[in-house]
Amino acid sequence: LEPTIIRTTEVHTPPTGLSTMPAGCQLKPLRIGALEIGFPIVQAALSGYSDWPMRMLAREHGASYSLCEVMLDQFLVTLKSERLKNQHFLYNSPEEQPVAGQLMGAEPEQFSQGAKKLVEAGFAVIDINFGCPVKKVLGRCRGGFHLSQPDVALEIIRRTRDIVPSHIPVTVKMRRGLDDTQQSRDNFFKILDGGFRLGLDAATLHGRTVVQRYNGPSRWQFLTEVKREFPDKTILGSGDLFTAESCLRMIEETGIDGVTVARGCIGNPWIFEQARALSSGRPLPPPPTLQEQRRVLERHWNLCAQLYGEARTGTLMRKFGIKYSASHPRHLDVRPDFTRIRTREDWWSVLDTWYSDDAAGVYPPVAIHEVEGTSCNC
Ligand SMILES: Cc1cc2nc3c(=O)[nH]c(=O)nc-3n(C[C@H](O)[C@H](O)[C@H](O)COP(=O)(O)O)c2cc1C
């Protein structure tokens, strides 16, 4: 592996006169606790996606920080080292650091034991999931359910902060409430305020409620309110970040410290270098050409095979291929071919069919993400 790691700590100044970014906006380097992250547009936690290959590619394309897919405390506590099949969940490598391990669970004591496992596995930040809206998860009093029980949520934060060494930041991911009631809003602020008092180093806020799941837009205005309430704390935003411009715009409009790109970077690691270009005053780069896309498609397969073995890679890469196809000018024709992938030969055959010319690519249509979000899980 020869990753190109981009580290920056400079202040990014976007161009004046860009229609999507008001003149004079400055992106300050992101810091989480004692950790200097730098460029504040990072890769979100994405269950079923943000594994080591995806994080490596995000890193190589300019994301300075990323979050692993969520893991259950119960799973971590019972994970035996001989069960190689599941070890990939914990896999992280020095080239991609800093990476956060994210944890979900119901019971404070077990939660903190899970956090200990993530620390031992080498994650640089421990992130607590109080946002997942899946029915099964809520039914088991996990994820977004904690937004309805602030005392338990705070106990989870307290125990996690206690067990995680003080130099490792502890952060939380929240939706803006369970629903739109005043009680939900009060609970949200009780958890966040109490959490910061207990030593939380940052919070990532998704501007939808748990019951809203993915229906309707993410309420960015709520992020503005939260940042006003906690001006000295590190707040990251999430929700409807499908283009490089929208990432910069969320920071500018809300005053938050950084953003986590989620659906917008699946099969689209280029969004990070596009955001870097805009933030340093350069024009938006053109979409990657088909040859550039091919290089990433080949690398993604190879990283995946390195982690999981060739036999499992075909099934795992299908969903990524479908997402990558959105950057192809004939994506409606390319997409079905990725759904049939089983072997390395199948993958290379799709690349030979669709990615042999060096034609221009396209920016993924925003509508693709919006529709698919309705069936996702966190
Ligand atoms: C497929 C999928 C998996 C997700 N998995 C997680 C997860 O493991 N942990 C988490 O905190 N959020 C998870 N999320 C939520 C995202 O991180 C993000 O907050 C949400 O998608 C809103 O951002 P977007 O509208 O830009 O996609 C997931 C979202 C999707 C679509």
Side-chain angles (χ1 to χ4, degrees):
L1 299 178
E2 292 180 356
T4 319
I5 298 178
I6 305 170
R7 290 184 202 283
T8 50
T9 46
E10 76 271 24
V11 172
H12 301 271
T13 314
T16 51
L18 232 188
S19 61
T20 49
M21 278 292 285
C25 168
Q26 293 209 320
L27 295 192
K28 293 197 207 81
L30 176 64
R31 191 190 167 98
I32 298 182
L35 201 60
E36 300 281 358
I37 303 278
F39 189 62
I41 296 173
V42 306
Q43 189 204 260
L46 284 157
S47 189
Y49 290 94
S50 62
D51 57 0
W52 176 72
M54 180 173 171
R55 298 193 308 264
M56 284 289 286
L57 283 161
R59 185 73 168 142
E60 292 167 16
H61 286 82
S64 44
Y65 171 62
S66 59
L67 291 103
C68 190
E69 48 194 323
V70 69
M71 284 176 255
L72 268 188
D73 55 356
Q74 215 170 47
F75 161 78
L76 287 169
V77 170
T78 55
L79 185 67
K80 299 276 183 296
S81 53
E82 66 271 18
R83 279 216 202 121
L84 288 175
K85 192 167 174 282
N86 288 326
Q87 290 298 325
H88 64 266
F89 279 111
L90 288 174
Y91 188 76
N92 59 89
S93 66
E95 310 95 302
E96 57 157 344
Q97 289 293 347
V99 180
Q102 197 192 59
L103 198 56
M104 182 159 77
E107 199 270 309
E109 174 58 29
Q110 181 155 271
F111 206 100
S112 58
Q113 293 308 314
K116 209 170 143 197
K117 294 273 182 176
L118 290 181
V119 170
E120 287 163 8
F123 289 101
V125 174
I126 305 303
D127 192 47
I128 298 172
N129 183 312
F130 288 161
C132 183
V134 170
K135 236 184 185 170
K136 200 169 73 181
V137 167
L138 301 176
R140 292 183 180 157
C141 309
R142 296 171 176 151
F145 182 83
H146 290 300
L147 297 179
S148 67
Q149 45 174 12
D151 294 336
V152 178
L154 288 171
E155 185 59 12
I156 285 177
I157 294 173
R158 190 179 68 75
R159 287 192 185 229
T160 305
R161 185 60 282 179
D162 281 355
I163 213 163
V164 172
S166 58
H167 68 281
I168 297 183
V170 173
T171 60
V172 69
K173 166 77 178 289
M174 298 166 82
R175 286 190 173 228
R176 69 178 164 81
L178 193 68
D179 55 29
D180 274 314
T181 59
Q182 182 62 38
Q183 178 72 56
S184 263
R185 188 182 161 87
D186 294 347
N187 286 347
F188 174 93
F189 282 101
K190 186 172 176 191
I191 294 169
L192 195 55
D193 186 45
F196 281 136
R197 286 172 200 274
L198 290 169
L200 272 184
D201 292 287
T204 303
L205 308 178
H206 179 184
R208 292 187 175 90
T209 64
V210 173
V211 298
Q212 189 184 351
R213 289 175 58 88
Y214 278 86
N215 301 320
S218 173
R219 195 179 288 172
W220 289 13
Q221 176 58 31
F222 186 72
L223 306 181
T224 313
E225 284 177 51
V226 173
K227 186 61 196 175
R228 273 200 203 123
E229 192 70 29
F230 301 100
D232 302 329
K233 302 295 180 191
T234 302
I235 307 287
L236 292 108
S238 169
D240 295 341
L241 298 172
F242 302 130
T243 61
E245 294 99 319
S246 63
C247 297
L248 298 171
R249 192 154 34 82
M250 182 187 264
I251 295 177
E252 169 62 11
E253 277 181 25
T254 65
I256 54 174
D257 304 280
V259 297
T260 62
V261 188
R263 287 172 289 172
C265 70
I266 305 175
N268 183 24
W270 301 280
I271 194 169
F272 298 107
E273 56 197 24
Q274 291 163 359
R276 277 183 183 264
L278 288 183
S279 72
S280 60
R282 286 173 278 137
L284 181 69
T289 65
L290 295 190
Q291 281 308 299
E292 285 167 330
Q293 292 180 39
R294 182 178 180 133
R295 271 195 294 281
V296 170
L297 285 158
E298 289 183 0
R299 178 147 173 77
H300 202 148
W301 178 284
N302 288 332
L303 289 170
C304 199
Q306 194 178 327
L307 183 63
Y308 301 98
E310 286 288 340
R312 291 174 72 190
T313 296
T315 323
L316 293 167
M317 285 301 292
R318 262 179 225 153
K319 61 188 180 220
F320 285 106
I322 289 167
K323 288 295 201 168
Y324 278 115
S325 69
S327 295
H328 195 289
R330 292 185 55 190
H331 51 89
L332 292 180
D333 298 318
V334 179
R335 185 190 158 105
D337 282 0
F338 277 120
T339 64
R340 292 188 275 270
I341 295 295
R342 291 179 59 211
T343 63
R344 171 179 283 266
E345 288 68 37
D346 295 342
W347 187 260
W348 255 257
S349 154
V350 175
L351 301 192
D352 289 342
T353 307
W354 295 109
Y355 296 86
S356 283
D357 299 337
D358 199 10
V362 298
Y363 298 113
V366 167
I368 282 181
H369 307 294
E370 285 172 345
V371 171
E372 289 182 358
T374 56
S375 63
C376 86
N377 53 1
C378 253

